[in-house]
Amino acid sequence: MQKANLTTLTDEVLINKIYVIREQKVMLDRDLAELYGVETKRLKEQVKRNMSRFPEKYMFVLTDKEFESLRSQFATSNERRGGTRYLPMVFTEHGVLQLSNVLKS
């Protein structure tokens, strides 16, 4: 996968990737992986290796109910979790910044 050129992203594209869950604005792991030009699997690996840098106010895993509700907001495949094996991680604004630091190292 080729790294995305962040300077060419429009505000509209980014705004459409932000969801409100648990009264917090968050972005999905898969969307962030795409923006950073890495596989979602690799992004999750780096987060798990650096869990101390991601308290719940920075990142959390969706519940089944939250994910089902979110799936209704975007088109996914017919599989139970839109082709994913695990529930998505979501990142708050501070989590996105921390993720950037973790992925650069």
Side-chain angles (χ1 to χ4, degrees), residues 14 17-19 25-29 31-32 35 89-92 96:
L14 286 175
K17 294 182 182 294
I18 298 171
Y19 301 93
K25 290 181 181 180
V26 297
M27 292 184 73
L28 292 167
D29 54 6
D31 292 335
L32 289 164
L35 290 172
M89 294 175 172
V90 294
F91 297 82
T92 65
V96 172

Side-chain angles (χ1 to χ4, degrees), residues 17-19 21 24-33 36 40 43-44 46-48 51 53-62 88-100 102-103:
K17 294 182 182 294
I18 298 171
Y19 301 93
I21 301 172
Q24 297 182 73
K25 290 181 181 180
V26 297
M27 292 184 73
L28 292 167
D29 54 6
R30 70 177 186 191
D31 292 335
L32 289 164
Y36 285 113
T40 304
L43 181 144
K44 288 184 172 195
Q46 288 302 314
V47 171
K48 288 177 183 176
M51 282 303 290
R53 297 174 82 173
F54 294 96
E56 191 169 341
K57 66 182 181 179
Y58 287 9
M59 182 277 302
F60 54 90
V61 177
L62 296 180
M89 294 175 172
V90 294
F91 297 82
T92 65
E93 181 179 0
H94 294 292
V96 172
L97 293 172
Q98 192 64 268
L99 183 60
S100 176
V102 167
L103 291 175

Side-chain angles (χ1 to χ4, degrees), residues 40-92:
T40 304
K41 178 180 178 177
R42 299 297 169 226
L43 181 144
K44 288 184 172 195
E45 284 175 355
Q46 288 302 314
V47 171
K48 288 177 183 176
R49 288 182 182 144
N50 295 279
M51 282 303 290
S52 63
R53 297 174 82 173
F54 294 96
E56 191 169 341
K57 66 182 181 179
Y58 287 9
M59 182 277 302
F60 54 90
V61 177
L62 296 180
T63 65
D64 279 318
K65 186 176 179 180
E66 288 168 335
F67 186 59
E68 287 303 316
S69 175
L70 185 63
R71 275 189 55 197
S72 68
Q73 296 180 41
F74 53 84
T76 61
S77 66
N78 290 330
E79 293 182 42
R80 183 170 177 266
R81 292 201 173 128
T84 64
R85 286 176 138 188
Y86 305 103
L87 290 166
M89 294 175 172
V90 294
F91 297 82
T92 65

